[in-house]
Structure formats: structure tokens, C-alpha cells
Amino acid sequence: MKKYLDINVYDALQDRLKFIFENFENIYVSFSGGKDSGLLLNLVLDYVKKHQINRKIGVFHQDFEAQYDLTTQYVTRMFQNNLGQIEPYWVCLPMASRCAVSNFQIYWYPWEKSQKEAWVRPMPAFPYVINEENNPFDFYKDKMLQEDLYAGFGHWYANSHKGKSICLLGIRADESLNRYRAYANVHKDILKNRQWTTKLADNLYNAYPLYDWTVKDVWTANSKFDFDYNEIYDLYWKAGLSIAQMRVASPYHESAKDSLNLYRVLEPVTWAKVVGRVHGANFGAIYGNTRALGCGKITLPEGHTWRSYVKFLLATLPGEIRRNYIKKFSTSIRFWWKTGGVVCEETIKELEACNYPVSINGQSNYKSSKERVRFLGTPDNTDDIKSSIDIPSWKRMAVCILKNDHLCKHMGFSESKKQKSRQAELMDKYRKL
């Protein structure tokens, strides 16, 4: 395992768990069924046994319906084999989950009653499974965003238990930049100088006790302590994936669509149900790692500019999807034309050398040396700008459509203000309870 100057990551984790149990009355683990959250849950339960701690650990599992059968088996074992130690929350409620494999759906809705005949698998029948028939969550709204459901549960859990509560997440900083930011954000409120904690409310925190573990550390611990794990990873290995490529996620999500076709090889029965559940999933599974969905090098069809190609692509889309893209593209165009974005000096030199129609407005603020640049018209493509990927172009818009990037992350967008506002309202509501 990775070592610091005087301690390895396992011993560092033991110190963090000691801190957590000393400072929080209520602890729950966010458990997806993947390798990281599975290891974290095993380590927490092991710590409880080792130190003879007489309290139950909450386990929150947000079930997305469409998943490998081996994942369902693993989640079932972890709940059933540890019922004496855990407070179980296996959540099977309809929620809006982003869909990156279809041109016809921005979201799909796991456990939607009207689609029961098409469900990938039956509703789990355990008494602790939470669904529309026994839902105890007063914050829940039909088909709410999956992120809102996740955030709402945290505040509901904290407010339904006495004392301070903390959610433990199996996030490792080396897995992605976004996960590193969750740990490294210097502007967040933390508890007693522990950077691996994040304050969400007076009675609720998040913690990332595995933040400094590597993927090799994860599998070393599973082997050394003989922990149960999701056996889909064994099949991933046999299929030729490296340990860094193995991810358990919704097959329709941006992070999983490239491996959607693995369902056909690893679990053919599940595969047939997965591709029938969402309109366009079969196309995504076949072409998810090809140029057809924007992977690899995208070439411009003969007779088109990137601008005309974007208009052509928009004309082929269903109304709701088309309007979503037009709104995003219009926002980007207005921003770069009227406000401008900050770019480094090297990028400005490249823009000027290539004769792009730009206006330099000076430094953006006192904290940044970068110049603010406005575009006097959107370039068709910016392939000759090597120093930055932030420059707008019609080609970037085309890539968003071809990749089914409904959020337009390729253009620098994240969740909309409306989505963020909904989450902020939810959090504010439960702070006041």
C-alpha cells in the first residue's frame, strides 16, 4: 500500500475513522456497489467489530435499476450479511437520471411504474427496500433529479437522528479531477482542520476517508482482509480491462456509455433488457466507442461548414432535445460575444496570429493575470489553437450533439442554474427543520 513518510494509507484511515466515531453520533456510508464504496463499507464494519462499538452504521444505496446482476447480488449480500450492524436504506424510487446514449431522452427514470413491464429487473423484495409504496421521505418529489434525491436523503437522515451526522463516501482523489476537487476545495467549511471533511449543514458533514488511496491499494486491501466484493470486476479483468478502466455505473451515464457493449459479452440476459429499457441504448452500445457518438476524431461531412452541420444535426433532433441544445449554444454565444472569457497570454498570441476576430478587454479581476477576450463572431473551428480547449466554436457544438452531451460539458457547462437552485432550495429547507 502507498506510504507516507511515517504511515501507510490503511493506518491513516484507522486514524480518520477514530476521529469520525469520536466526533459524530450518526454515521452512514454511501454504498453504490462499486469497488471503492464497497471497500469503505467493509472497512467501517471491520472497525466497528474490532473496537466493539455498540451502534449501527447507516447504509444508503441509491438503486438505478439497470445494472449487472452480479452488482445486485453483491449489494444483496452486503445488506443481508450485515443486518445486525447496519441501518439499511435501499432506495428504489423513480428519479431523473441523465441519459447519454439517446438522442431522444435527456433523462430516463429508474423504477418508473408506467414502465414496469420494461424494468431491467424486478423490484427487490426485502422489507428495508424503500419504494413508492412505503416511502418515508417527506422531501421526495416524483421523478426528482437523482442528485436532489441523494442530497435530500443526507439532510433527512441528519434531521431524523439526534446529534451530528456524517456521510462517508468512497471517493479517491486520483480517480478524476472532480473527485480531487471534492477533497481539495480550499473554500469549503471543514471540521477541525480535516481537509477530507466537508460541512453541508450544522448537523451534517461529508467525509472522504479513502481520498489518498490508489486503485491498487483498494485491491490489496480486499485481498489482504478477504473482503467480499462485486465479482463483476473479475469479469472485467477477463474481458481485458485494466484496473483503472473498471467502473460500476449506470449503463446510460456519460461515464459508462463507452463500456455499455460489455453487457452483451459479460451478461447477455441483462444486456437484452438494458438495450430495451431506454430508446437509443442499442445504438449507444454498438457505436458508443466510435465516431458515431463523437468518440475519436470527428470529421466534417463534405459540403458542410461546422455551423451548417450543427444546424443540420439540430434539425434531426426531437423538439425537447433540440431546444435544450439551442438554449445552451445561445448562452455560450452571448457570453463570448458580450461578456468574454479569460484566456492566457499564449492563447491570445495564437488567436491574433490566426487572425481570429477578437477584442481584448484587459485583466478579468485583481486575482488573475489572464486577459478577458470577446469574440466578434463564433469561429467555425479552433483546431489551430493548441494552448487552450476553452475557445468557442461551432465544431464544439457539433461534438456535444454527436456525443449526446446534453449538459454540454464539452463546452464548459455544468448543471443549469435551475437545477442548482432546486438543490439549494432543498438544502435550505432541511436546514430549517
Side-chain angles (χ1 to χ4, degrees):
M1 289 186 174
K2 183 169 69 177
K3 291 186 177 181
Y4 301 103
L5 292 177
D6 58 351
I7 193 171
N8 62 42
V9 289
Y10 175 78
D11 291 332
L13 172 73
Q14 300 304 303
D15 289 343
R16 292 166 197 158
L17 292 178
K18 182 175 185 293
F19 174 83
I20 288 167
F21 277 90
E22 287 177 349
N23 286 273
F24 292 91
E25 290 79 11
N26 315 299
I27 300 166
Y28 78 92
V29 176
S30 178
F31 174 54
S32 69
K35 61 184 183 300
D36 299 328
S37 66
L39 173 65
L40 179 59
L41 178 54
N42 275 313
L43 288 167
V44 171
L45 294 175
D46 187 62
Y47 184 90
V48 170
K49 292 177 185 176
K50 185 184 300 182
H51 295 276
Q52 298 181 335
I53 297 172
N54 187 27
R55 58 167 143 160
K56 290 190 173 184
I57 303 300
V59 178
F60 171 74
H61 176 63
Q62 194 169 9
D63 192 322
F64 290 90
E65 180 205 319
Q67 62 187 23
Y68 287 107
D69 184 56
L70 286 174
T71 298
T72 302
Q73 292 179 29
Y74 173 55
V75 172
T76 300
R77 291 196 306 272
M78 290 300 291
F79 273 82
Q80 288 291 92
N81 294 343
N82 296 289
L83 283 177
Q85 288 183 271
I86 68 172
E87 186 180 353
Y89 298 94
W90 185 329
V91 180
C92 297
L93 290 168
M95 53 191 159
S97 181
R98 283 193 292 275
C99 181
V101 299
S102 174
N103 276 328
F104 300 90
Q105 296 178 238
I106 298 176
Y107 296 102
W108 77 287
Y109 305 95
W111 307 117
E112 184 181 8
K113 276 187 176 180
S114 64
Q115 298 296 315
K116 187 173 182 179
E117 293 299 318
W119 284 357
V120 174
R121 59 185 231 275
M123 176 75 67
F126 304 109
Y128 46 80
V129 170
I130 296 170
N131 54 40
E132 289 183 281
E133 304 301 324
N134 62 359
N135 174 29
F137 305 141
D138 54 0
F139 66 86
Y140 176 75
K141 296 179 181 178
D142 184 43
K143 298 179 182 177
M144 67 193 301
L145 289 171
Q146 66 176 69
E147 297 88 352
D148 290 351
L149 175 56
Y150 181 88
F153 173 82
H155 291 279
W156 176 89
Y157 178 88
N159 292 321
S160 61
H161 291 72
K162 294 181 180 179
K164 283 197 300 186
S165 298
I166 190 165
C167 170
L168 309 186
L169 297 101
I171 288 179
R172 294 182 298 103
D174 75 344
E175 193 165 48
S176 71
L177 180 59
N178 283 337
R179 296 191 172 204
Y180 172 75
R181 285 172 177 163
Y183 157 75
N185 180 6
V186 296
H187 301 294
K188 66 180 182 177
D189 291 330
I190 61 178
L191 181 65
K192 297 182 181 179
N193 296 318
R194 267 65 175 189
Q195 185 64 33
W196 46 271
T197 65
T198 299
K199 183 178 181 180
L200 302 178
D202 288 341
N203 62 344
L204 178 62
Y205 282 75
N206 277 347
Y208 322 102
L210 295 180
Y211 77 90
D212 49 357
W213 285 53
T214 67
V215 66
K216 290 183 179 179
D217 292 331
V218 171
W219 291 113
T220 298
N222 278 330
S223 175
K224 183 173 183 178
F225 302 115
D226 196 27
F227 286 149
D228 193 4
Y229 66 92
N230 188 341
E231 293 175 358
I232 194 63
Y233 290 99
D234 294 338
L235 296 187
Y236 281 157
W237 181 257
K238 292 178 181 179
L241 274 66
S242 70
I243 57 176
Q245 293 174 316
M246 301 175 186
R247 289 201 63 179
V248 172
S250 167
Y252 314 122
H253 194 267
E254 294 96 330
S255 62
K257 71 177 183 181
D258 289 349
S259 60
L260 178 55
N261 201 36
L262 279 171
Y263 274 77
R264 184 205 300 267
V265 178
L266 303 183
E267 286 190 3
V269 175
T270 306
W271 150 264
K273 296 176 181 178
V274 165
V275 298
R277 182 67 173 88
V278 168
H279 193 180
N282 189 38
F283 180 85
I286 296 171
Y287 299 105
N289 200 32
T290 71
R291 296 180 187 179
L293 282 183
C295 299
K297 185 178 180 181
I298 297 174
T299 56
L300 183 66
E302 187 176 350
H304 275 289
T305 63
W306 285 107
R307 181 176 181 177
S308 69
Y309 190 36
V310 166
K311 292 184 176 181
F312 167 76
L313 292 171
L314 287 172
T316 68
L317 298 175
E320 181 184 359
I321 308 296
R322 180 171 59 253
R323 288 189 291 273
N324 172 71
Y325 281 123
I326 289 174
K327 183 178 180 180
K328 295 283 189 182
F329 297 164
S330 299
T331 298
S332 176
I333 290 170
R334 284 196 302 271
F335 171 79
W336 283 102
W337 285 20
K338 294 184 178 181
T339 304
V342 294
V343 298
C344 64
E345 184 178 348
E346 184 180 355
T347 301
I348 290 177
K349 290 179 180 178
E350 287 185 296
L351 290 169
E352 292 175 339
C354 296
N355 295 316
Y356 282 95
V358 297
S359 172
I360 312 301
N361 292 347
Q363 292 184 8
S364 59
N365 57 56
Y366 71 95
K367 293 182 179 180
S368 174
S369 61
K370 292 183 177 181
E371 299 277 4
R372 185 179 296 278
V373 173
R374 289 192 302 116
F375 276 77
L376 311 177
T378 302
D380 206 51
N381 73 76
T382 54
D383 293 343
D384 45 6
I385 303 298
K386 308 299 183 184
S387 59
S388 174
I389 62 172
D390 295 329
I391 303 304
S393 72
W394 288 101
K395 181 177 180 179
R396 294 186 75 189
M397 300 180 203
V399 170
C400 286
I401 298 174
L402 291 170
K403 289 171 70 85
N404 290 328
D405 179 7
H406 300 299
L407 285 180
C408 295
K409 290 183 178 180
H410 187 69
M411 296 176 63
F413 283 91
S414 56
E415 289 181 316
S416 68
K417 288 184 179 180
K418 182 178 179 181
Q419 290 171 332
K420 290 183 177 179
S421 176
R422 285 184 62 187
Q423 184 165 335
E425 289 173 3
L426 184 70
M427 291 181 174
D428 184 62
K429 174 183 176 181
Y430 287 97
R431 287 192 191 102
K432 295 175 180 178
L433 289 180

